Amino acid sequence: MLKTSAYAAPSATKQLAPISIERREPGPHDVLIDILYCGVCHSDIHQVRDEWGGAIFPMVPGHEIVGRVKQVGQHVTKLKVGDIAGVGCMVDSCRDCASCKGHIEQFCEKGVAFSYNSTEMDRKTPTYGGYSSQIVVDEHFTLKVPAGLDPAAAAPLLCAGITTYSPLRQWNCKKGDRVGVVGLGGLGHMAVKFAVSMGAEVTMLSTSRSKEADARRLGAHAFESTKDEATFQKLAGRFDLIINTISAPHDYNKYLGMLRPQGAMVIVGVPPEPTPVAAFSLIGGNKRLAGSMIGGIAETQEMLDYCAKHNIVSDIEIIPIQKINEAYERMMRGDVRYRFVIDIASLKEPART
């Protein structure tokens, strides 16, 4: 076993602290990656605080991982030593069910192995994420990070990137489409960048008027305040597609009213409580309310290659791992533009159990 330095939450009520964990020795199909950077996702906070239930402690979060390949198994063909590689939200699946064969491994019928707060496919061995110095992953669940992408700014693409790229692809976002993005945060800023790059006319819908300048800097063509009730009447029937990134409680019905007939609103944020939806909000106009969860491995690689081609990365603030608890509090206040990324080089002091 490989002794690995990491930061973990010992329980739902305690702060993250240094820990020593064990990684398996690389097998014939495995890749050993020395982690360079790990993005900090809002879902990390939900998980370490057990807000979604089922938390496994000690928990090492992190599923936006970029690092350098240190070792490969004898049957590995996808990567070689020295390559810059990524690991996203998944580290394994059954590979045999219809979902896995259909390249949507995140919906594995036997239950996907998530990168942390999960178990390997043996349903016994806990998985640990990227707030750590190294990780061992089957090559199928690794990604090639194109040479043109800054490794630190590319890390959040492994979750925030694919989470917003996938629904835009699913709904065939194209030149001339009118796209609304609800919420300008880690997800929202990526949705703006992607939709603009695909040729859409993009409107940022936010409660924070102070974010207008930033929205326009990111490429948004318009900005509308959703604190103003008149906005919902002004934009009634306007959008072909809405990407809703908000994780706070809000009224879906108001936003559905902004869709044109046969338009769609895709939910990628996770509010803490169920949201009532009136039937006529959907029936009136044959509108669609849908959800989207990350993407399969093939689509994630497609997204990374697309980002390299279009020079798209996340806006980030790099932090040492010793500031992770402070970063969580800042995230809860919305005090980040727009993704924290941990410099794992800061995790070089000897780990303690």
Side-chain angles (χ1 to χ4, degrees):
M1 301 295 282
L2 303 175
K3 188 175 181 180
T4 300
S5 298
Y7 259 58
S11 74
T13 58
K14 293 184 178 179
Q15 293 192 328
L16 278 75
I19 192 175
S20 179
I21 60 172
E22 290 187 334
R23 301 288 194 187
R24 69 175 182 270
E25 293 285 345
H29 296 280
D30 286 334
V31 178
L32 171 61
I33 299 170
D34 281 338
I35 300 174
L36 300 173
Y37 300 100
C38 185
V40 182
C41 179
H42 201 279
S43 62
D44 295 348
I45 299 176
H46 289 302
Q47 299 263 43
V48 301
R49 296 180 180 178
D50 199 18
E51 293 173 352
W52 293 344
I56 303 170
F57 295 103
M59 186 190 303
V60 178
H63 57 208
E64 298 178 340
I65 302 165
V66 169
R68 182 173 286 107
V69 176
K70 183 177 183 180
Q71 181 180 335
V72 297
Q74 59 182 340
H75 297 314
V76 171
T77 59
K78 190 175 182 179
L79 293 162
K80 64 183 185 300
V81 173
D83 284 350
I84 301 299
V87 179
C89 299
M90 305 174 284
V91 291
D92 208 351
S93 70
C94 79
R95 325 282 182 91
D96 193 48
C97 69
S99 292
C100 288
K101 289 181 176 178
H103 305 293
I104 47 173
E105 298 94 337
Q106 68 270 37
F107 305 123
C108 175
E109 294 169 17
K110 296 182 181 177
V112 68
F114 289 108
S115 300
Y116 73 90
N117 195 32
S118 182
T119 63
E120 302 282 1
M121 296 306 290
D122 62 9
R123 304 306 176 208
K124 297 177 182 178
T125 308
T127 56
Y128 298 116
Y131 296 12
S132 56
S133 60
Q134 59 186 350
I135 191 169
V136 178
V137 184
D138 186 285
E139 71 166 326
H140 179 81
F141 287 86
T142 61
L143 290 309
K144 298 178 182 178
V145 178
L149 295 179
D150 173 71
L157 299 178
L158 279 303
C159 178
I162 187 60
T163 295
T164 49
Y165 177 89
S166 184
L168 289 165
R169 277 294 191 229
Q170 289 175 60
W171 271 267
N172 191 32
C173 179
K174 60 189 181 300
K175 185 177 181 179
D177 283 355
R178 292 176 173 180
V179 174
V181 176
V182 186
L184 185 54
L187 295 176
H189 94 288
M190 291 306 308
V192 170
K193 290 186 179 188
F194 282 133
V196 169
S197 75
M198 294 172 186
E201 178 187 315
V202 179
T203 300
M204 169 52 59
L205 303 167
S206 173
T207 59
S208 302
R209 177 61 71 178
S210 62
K211 292 185 178 181
E212 180 173 1
D214 232 15
R216 293 185 183 277
R217 177 185 62 81
L218 293 165
H221 303 93
F223 181 99
E224 297 290 347
S225 172
T226 51
K227 275 191 173 180
D228 185 351
E229 286 297 319
T231 295
F232 294 96
Q233 283 72 49
K234 175 184 176 182
L235 299 179
R238 178 172 180 81
F239 299 113
D240 299 284
L241 177 65
I242 294 174
I243 305 297
N244 190 330
T245 74
I246 297 296
S247 57
H250 61 292
D251 187 352
Y252 288 172
N253 299 284
K254 290 182 177 180
Y255 293 91
L256 288 167
M258 293 181 170
L259 292 173
R260 64 161 179 79
Q262 298 185 322
M265 180 165 74
V266 185
I267 306 299
V268 294
V270 186
E273 298 174 356
T275 302
V277 176
F280 277 114
S281 293
L282 300 172
I283 293 171
N286 287 9
K287 297 171 183 177
R288 282 84 164 168
L289 177 61
S292 184
M293 189 176 85
I294 54 173
I297 295 300
E299 187 177 43
T300 305
Q301 186 64 60
E302 174 191 307
M303 178 271 306
L304 287 171
D305 295 339
Y306 180 94
C307 287
K309 180 179 180 180
H310 294 273
N311 194 29
I312 295 172
V313 289
S314 296
D315 287 20
I316 63 170
E317 178 181 336
I318 298 177
I319 60 167
I321 201 164
Q322 292 80 9
K323 291 191 175 181
I324 187 60
N325 295 297
E326 177 186 332
Y328 278 14
E329 295 307 315
R330 286 181 57 192
M331 286 174 67
M332 295 303 293
R333 300 194 301 269
D335 180 23
V336 57
R337 298 292 185 274
Y338 281 96
R339 204 65 151 186
F340 286 118
V341 171
I342 302 167
D343 181 356
I344 299 299
S346 61
L347 185 64
K348 57 188 177 184
E349 298 177 0
R352 60 179 175 81
T353 302

